[in-house]
Amino acid sequence: QSARTLSTKDTAESSSSSGSTTRYILRGPSMFFPEEDETVQNFQWSLLPTHLDQSSENLPGLPFTTLTRRQPESWKLQGLIKTNDGVEATMHLSISYEIDDVVKCVDSRDPVARMVASLRYDLNRFGLGIDHETLLGCPDFQAPQFVSLRQAALGCGIKLNEVLVVSVEASPEFQRLQAEREMEERQKHQELASYLHEQKVLQEQSLVKQLGIDLDADLKRKEARVRADVARDVNKFQMELLEQEFLVEDFKLQSKEKQKRLKNQIEIDYYNCLAGLGIDVTKVMCSRYHYMPTIGGDNHTI
């Protein structure tokens, strides 16, 4: 069985017809062998650029006869923008798209070139309507609508799902100039601050001289006040130390009195206990002493 009979009529779609020549688009996957009077058309679209500026040219891609559709596809690129005040910036874009109409896409010959040209136009138009302070200094600036890009994609049978502005950054040359200007501003600010400080010091010295203030006398008065404060603090510390020593001695005396009262109480309890047992307490008390004073002053052992 010839491969041409594999659902050729079902997969073939008429794209255009001119006189006795008819062009077909065959949808796959399928196998197709042309007849003797048929030819396969080659296409060579431009490559999707990753860097886009006004001077870049479209690079031709490899020739192809089979168009593979991956839905959706992503196109990431960075385009150059020149603002209305002459500053160049780079806008990073992420474009999600898919082929919606194969016939329109094939008839457009080179849809990539048409989309790239429209995108250049949109970026150029957007740059003419904005200054660099708004573009680089305002994070919520109004992003371009990419009207020409959307119209060109629609005419080529391509559906744009999303055109996203990822980020915007100034060109390296502008960043260098901006850094130099910031450095100059900081230097001027430092010079102004130093000049104002010198003027303030001169004014203070002039005021001191005019009022006739004796700095040495003032220092001596301050030194005397410091010494007086130190002496007062030392006296206060000594008084507190003496008060602590007094409290310690008082605590010792109170402890001795407590011990003495406790000892007497124990002794009284002891004698009461002996008396309760019927023992003569007087004899016990006398037996605890070995010496007793006499009128003559001599001591006799009991």
Side-chain angles (χ1 to χ4, degrees):
Q1 184 181 7
S2 174
R4 182 177 177 81
T5 62
L6 292 178
S7 302
T8 302
K9 294 182 179 180
D10 295 335
T11 60
E13 177 182 350
S14 176
S15 175
S16 62
S17 177
S18 177
S20 60
T21 303
T22 303
R23 186 174 66 181
Y24 294 92
I25 297 175
L26 285 92
R27 300 178 181 273
S30 65
M31 185 178 296
F32 175 75
F33 292 92
E35 299 291 344
E36 294 181 358
D37 58 344
E38 292 180 331
T39 58
V40 178
Q41 183 178 354
N42 287 335
F43 295 90
Q44 191 172 8
W45 294 351
S46 301
L47 294 176
L48 287 174
T50 57
H51 295 76
L52 185 66
D53 55 36
Q54 300 300 326
S55 60
S56 61
E57 297 181 356
N58 295 337
L59 299 177
L62 297 176
F64 65 92
T65 57
T66 302
L67 179 62
T68 303
R69 298 173 62 185
R70 295 184 298 271
Q71 298 181 354
E73 297 194 43
S74 180
W75 177 20
K76 299 183 183 299
L77 77 157
Q78 49 187 359
L80 183 65
I81 296 177
K82 191 171 184 179
T83 60
N84 54 18
D85 51 359
V87 176
E88 292 184 351
T90 301
M91 178 176 289
H92 296 263
L93 303 173
S94 177
I95 302 174
S96 175
Y97 69 95
E98 57 184 297
I99 299 177
D100 188 51
D101 191 331
V102 179
V103 176
K104 286 185 178 181
C105 189
V106 172
D107 288 341
S108 65
R109 301 295 179 181
D110 192 348
V112 175
R114 295 179 60 179
M115 292 175 59
V116 169
S118 301
L119 182 57
R120 283 199 185 97
Y121 175 80
D122 285 335
L123 292 179
N124 186 34
R125 185 179 180 85
F126 174 74
L128 293 176
I130 194 171
D131 58 80
H132 80 279
E133 293 183 354
T134 304
L135 180 62
L136 300 175
C138 184
D140 54 349
F141 68 91
Q142 184 65 35
Q145 299 299 320
F146 300 102
V147 177
S148 298
L149 174 63
R150 295 182 184 276
Q151 291 177 352
L154 183 62
C156 296
I158 296 177
K159 177 184 177 181
L160 297 182
N161 298 322
E162 183 182 33
V163 182
L164 179 63
V165 178
V166 179
S167 62
V168 179
E169 60 183 16
S171 62
E173 181 65 19
F174 177 77
Q175 292 180 2
R176 184 184 64 81
L177 295 176
Q178 187 72 10
E180 291 179 355
R181 283 196 292 268
E182 291 178 356
M183 186 177 296
E184 292 178 357
E185 291 294 332
R186 286 196 298 268
Q187 186 176 0
K188 290 180 180 179
H189 180 74
Q190 292 176 357
E191 292 177 355
L192 178 61
S194 178
Y195 172 76
L196 294 176
H197 178 70
E198 292 177 357
Q199 292 297 319
K200 183 178 180 180
V201 171
L202 291 176
Q203 290 178 0
E204 291 178 352
Q205 292 177 352
S206 177
L207 180 62
V208 170
K209 185 176 181 181
Q210 290 176 2
L211 296 177
I213 298 177
D214 189 358
L215 298 180
D216 292 337
D218 185 61
L219 290 176
K220 291 180 180 179
R221 287 194 295 270
K222 291 181 179 179
E223 183 180 359
R225 285 198 297 269
V226 171
R227 289 182 178 178
D229 293 340
V230 172
R232 184 173 60 253
D233 293 339
V234 171
N235 292 334
K236 182 180 179 180
F237 176 75
Q238 290 178 350
M239 292 297 294
E240 292 177 353
L241 184 61
L242 291 175
E243 183 178 357
Q244 293 294 330
E245 292 178 353
F246 173 77
L247 292 175
V248 170
E249 292 297 329
D250 183 65
F251 176 77
K252 290 180 179 180
L253 292 175
Q254 291 179 3
S255 299
K256 290 181 179 180
E257 290 295 331
K258 288 181 180 180
Q259 291 177 359
K260 184 176 180 181
R261 286 195 299 270
L262 180 61
K263 182 178 180 181
N264 292 336
Q265 185 63 39
I266 293 173
E267 189 173 358
I268 291 173
D269 293 340
Y270 172 72
Y271 289 143
N272 289 333
C273 182
L274 294 178
L277 296 174
I279 299 174
D280 189 355
V281 177
T282 304
K283 293 181 179 181
V284 174
M285 294 177 62
C286 292
S287 66
R288 296 184 61 184
Y289 297 95
H290 297 283
Y291 300 98
M292 293 185 61
T294 61
I295 299 176
D298 296 331
N299 294 332
H300 299 275
T301 302
I302 296 177

